[in-house]
Amino acid sequence: MKKILVIEDELSVRENLVDLLEAEDYQVFSTENGILAILWAQDNIPDLVICDVMMPEINGYEVLEELRSLPMTASVPFIFLTAMADKTDFRQGMELGADDYLTKPFTREEMLSAIKSRLSRHEIVMEQYNSEHMRVKALEKQVQKLQQREQWQDLDEKSQEALLKVNTAMNLLQKLESEHSRDRSLSVLQELCGEEIALFQKIPNLHLFLTPEQSNLLRQAM
């Protein structure tokens, strides 16, 4: 269920909006207070924000500016509500990062269309972001492997053999699901790879050749 934050100081408009959105199966949190809204958004991270421009204490522009400055809410879709049709106000909101602008009075169809459009576009953007994030992570792993390979070549032959043997053992240990089996296998590793483990302690920057999981297992074996 999508969460929508409604910030509107006019009670009748706020109540009508809540009724409309809840009837469409949205989870709604509403308030007339911009400061309270910002604090709630930090803890709950809404899927979309609908905010009036002119409000007491802090106005809609200040709410938007603050939400855009917070990492957890920086990309949340934001729709302004206003009774003003001044193009200057419209431009100011868009320059601050608003996604849409509805002028009061608005129709049910206009509101629902704006919400669905912004949520749909946000989902597309997030899919693209996640895809790019995964691609970057994959590239980072490739770079790490290349760096490890280069550093591996700098080791003497005995150290390379020791690293290969213990690396193989670490990979096998990671596949054991049972804690008891892993403990028993660690004991065997200590016996069979004692010389290699001792040699490892002399290798500088050992962590560069192992994954964090392998490093943790090796510390237990040392």
Side-chain angles (χ1 to χ4, degrees):
M1 183 180 291
K2 298 292 186 181
K3 291 183 291 186
I4 296 182
L5 170 59
V6 174
I7 315 166
E8 168 62 65
D9 65 322
E10 191 175 339
L11 180 59
S12 61
V13 176
R14 187 169 71 251
E15 289 180 341
N16 287 336
L17 261 175
V18 171
D19 290 342
L20 168 63
L21 298 177
E22 287 182 343
E24 296 294 322
D25 291 328
Y26 292 114
Q27 181 181 343
V28 186
F29 176 81
S30 65
T31 179
E32 62 179 8
N33 188 301
I35 297 173
L36 177 61
I38 293 168
L39 296 176
W40 183 91
Q42 282 184 274
D43 290 334
N44 298 277
I45 311 180
D47 295 291
L48 183 138
V49 177
I50 300 172
C51 182
D52 190 19
V53 173
M54 301 305 296
M55 297 186 298
E57 298 176 354
I58 64 172
N59 62 38
Y61 299 129
E62 292 169 312
V63 171
L64 173 59
E65 193 167 12
E66 184 64 26
L67 290 180
R68 287 291 180 258
S69 72
L70 299 171
M72 68 288 293
T73 56
S75 63
V76 172
F78 195 103
I79 298 176
F80 265 132
L81 297 180
T82 180
M84 301 178 296
D86 193 324
K87 290 184 178 180
T88 302
D89 298 308
F90 179 86
R91 188 179 302 112
Q92 182 180 355
M94 291 306 181
E95 287 175 353
L96 287 172
D99 297 280
D100 211 339
Y101 220 106
L102 291 179
T103 303
K104 297 185 235 178
F106 49 83
T107 66
R108 174 181 180 278
E109 289 72 22
E110 287 173 336
M111 175 58 69
L112 293 180
S113 176
I115 291 173
K116 290 177 181 178
S117 173
R118 294 307 156 187
L119 288 176
S120 177
R121 178 172 295 184
H122 184 62
E123 287 179 0
I124 292 172
V125 170
M126 291 308 296
E127 286 177 2
Q128 293 173 339
Y129 169 81
N130 291 332
S131 176
E132 183 65 16
H133 182 70
M134 291 175 63
R135 189 182 71 84
V136 170
K137 286 294 182 183
L139 286 174
E140 287 176 350
K141 286 184 178 180
Q142 290 179 7
V143 170
Q144 186 179 26
K145 286 180 179 179
L146 289 173
Q147 290 173 337
Q148 288 177 348
R149 189 177 301 167
E150 291 175 0
Q151 289 159 343
W152 181 298
Q153 293 171 351
D154 291 337
L155 297 176
D156 59 50
E157 185 177 348
K158 190 173 182 180
S159 295
Q160 288 185 23
E161 291 176 356
L163 187 58
L164 179 60
K165 183 176 179 180
V166 178
N167 230 322
T168 300
M170 292 296 106
N171 287 332
L172 293 173
L173 280 173
Q174 285 178 253
K175 295 179 180 180
L176 297 177
E177 296 182 0
S178 166
E179 195 70 31
H180 177 69
S181 297
R182 184 173 295 186
D183 290 342
R184 188 171 67 251
S185 298
L186 274 172
S187 299
V188 174
L189 175 65
Q190 289 169 331
E191 294 178 14
L192 296 179
C193 301
E195 182 180 342
E196 287 82 357
I197 291 172
L199 180 61
F200 265 24
Q201 296 176 342
K202 301 177 183 179
I203 298 177
N205 299 322
L206 177 60
H207 66 281
L208 297 176
F209 301 97
L210 303 172
T211 66
E213 293 80 6
Q214 290 173 335
S215 297
N216 182 51
L217 285 171
L218 188 59
R219 279 195 296 271
Q220 296 176 46
M222 286 181 172

